[in-house]
Structure formats: C-alpha cells, structure tokens
Amino acid sequence: MATVNDLVHQQITNAHKSWGRVHISDDGNILQYNGRTYKNYSQHLKTETHGRKIGADGETRTSFYEIPDMESGKWLAVQDDELAFAFIYKGLNVPEISLKEFSPTAVEFNENGKKISDSETVSKVITMIETNAAFNTLDDYRLTDSNITSIELYSDKYPSLIYLP
C-alpha cells in the first residue's frame, strides 16, 4: 500500500511530465520546449502577466509560462523568481511584433506606475521612437520629471505585453 509521501511524489512527478521538458541555452538566447525552439525576444518586449505554468527549474528558481492572449505554443514567458517581469521567447517562425503592429495605446515613463493614455502623448512618443529623437525632448505637461530614462508602451491589442523601445 502506498504511503501519503509516495502518492505526493507520484503526483508531482506526473505534473512535471505533463509540463514537458524545458531547456534554456547557457547564454539564455534559445529555449527548447516540447520539441519546439524559441528565441529570446526580450529586447523589445516583456510581460508582467502570466498564463498557465508549463514548467520550472528549481535550481535556477526559474518558471516557464504561456502568455495570456498570445497564440498558444508560439510565445512563452520565462521568469526568475527575483524579477518582477518575465522574459519573452517567441517561436523561430513566429513573426516579430513591430511598433506599428503593437499599436500602443498608453505609455509609462521611468517605471513610475502612471500610465498615460492620452492619444496625443502616445503619438508624440511613437514619433520620437521612430525618428530616434532623445526621450528627454518630449514636452508634456504631465511629466514632472523631464529626465526620461525609460519608456514602456502598452497596447489594447496585446494586453499581456509591454513594448520597450
């Protein structure tokens, strides 16, 4: 007769098998999961929202998730337990998301937690990005700190993603 510990161990083992095998290359650029290969796409995207957990690596304290509202099996989020955001990985044959495709509807400056959804400000920021203008040239009365060090864009089209110019 199986003990409680045996049953718990069996359930955990079965859960891990259902997640499939997840492997990240030493440099973190390539992820393999269930026979698919994904490339790190965190240069311009990150997420704070996670979907279904598909795996974990206890040694590195890293968890792997599906991304809500993104096509299943084509996009994955990888989060280290010590970070507030997750890195984005996309399938090798999955098209990139351009700034135009992303269609920003809100902007946040310097990670201050204040999203500005005024279309005029969002439009100015997009123009600055497209023309490679310095961020601190943005003249907007809502900004109390004119020294802009980071910009995060949000989209109604991709609500689970944050675009980083």
Side-chain angles (χ1 to χ4, degrees), residues 91-102:
L92 290 182
N93 297 321
V94 175
E96 296 184 1
I97 299 175
S98 67
L99 179 60
K100 182 177 181 178
E101 168 69 19
F102 190 72

Side-chain angles (χ1 to χ4, degrees), residues 10 39-40 82-83 102 117 121 125 127 155:
Q10 183 178 5
K39 184 166 176 34
N40 188 329
E82 296 176 4
L83 299 176
F102 190 72
S117 57
T121 300
V125 170
T127 300
S155 169

Side-chain angles (χ1 to χ4, degrees), residues 5-56:
N5 286 339
D6 292 336
L7 293 174
V8 169
H9 176 72
Q10 183 178 5
Q11 287 177 342
I12 291 172
T13 301
N14 289 339
H16 283 283
K17 285 179 184 174
S18 71
W19 286 337
R21 298 187 80 61
V22 180
H23 175 73
I24 296 183
S25 63
D26 290 338
D27 64 4
N29 287 326
I30 302 294
L31 180 144
Q32 292 179 326
Y33 169 66
N34 275 355
R36 292 185 179 147
T37 301
Y38 299 82
K39 184 166 176 34
N40 188 329
Y41 194 57
S42 299
Q43 178 183 359
H44 290 296
L45 292 176
K46 70 177 184 178
T47 183
E48 294 171 341
T49 307
H50 305 12
R52 182 178 67 94
K53 187 173 186 174
I54 61 170

Side-chain angles (χ1 to χ4, degrees), residues 98-101 104 122-133 135 165:
S98 67
L99 179 60
K100 182 177 181 178
E101 168 69 19
V122 173
S123 179
K124 285 181 183 179
V125 170
I126 292 170
T127 300
M128 288 175 55
I129 293 167
E130 293 174 338
T131 62
N132 285 329
F135 292 143

Side-chain angles (χ1 to χ4, degrees), residues 72-91:
S72 181
K74 294 189 177 187
W75 295 87
L76 296 176
V78 177
Q79 182 166 13
D80 182 299
D81 288 347
E82 296 176 4
L83 299 176
F85 63 91
F87 295 102
I88 302 292
Y89 285 78
K90 70 174 192 66

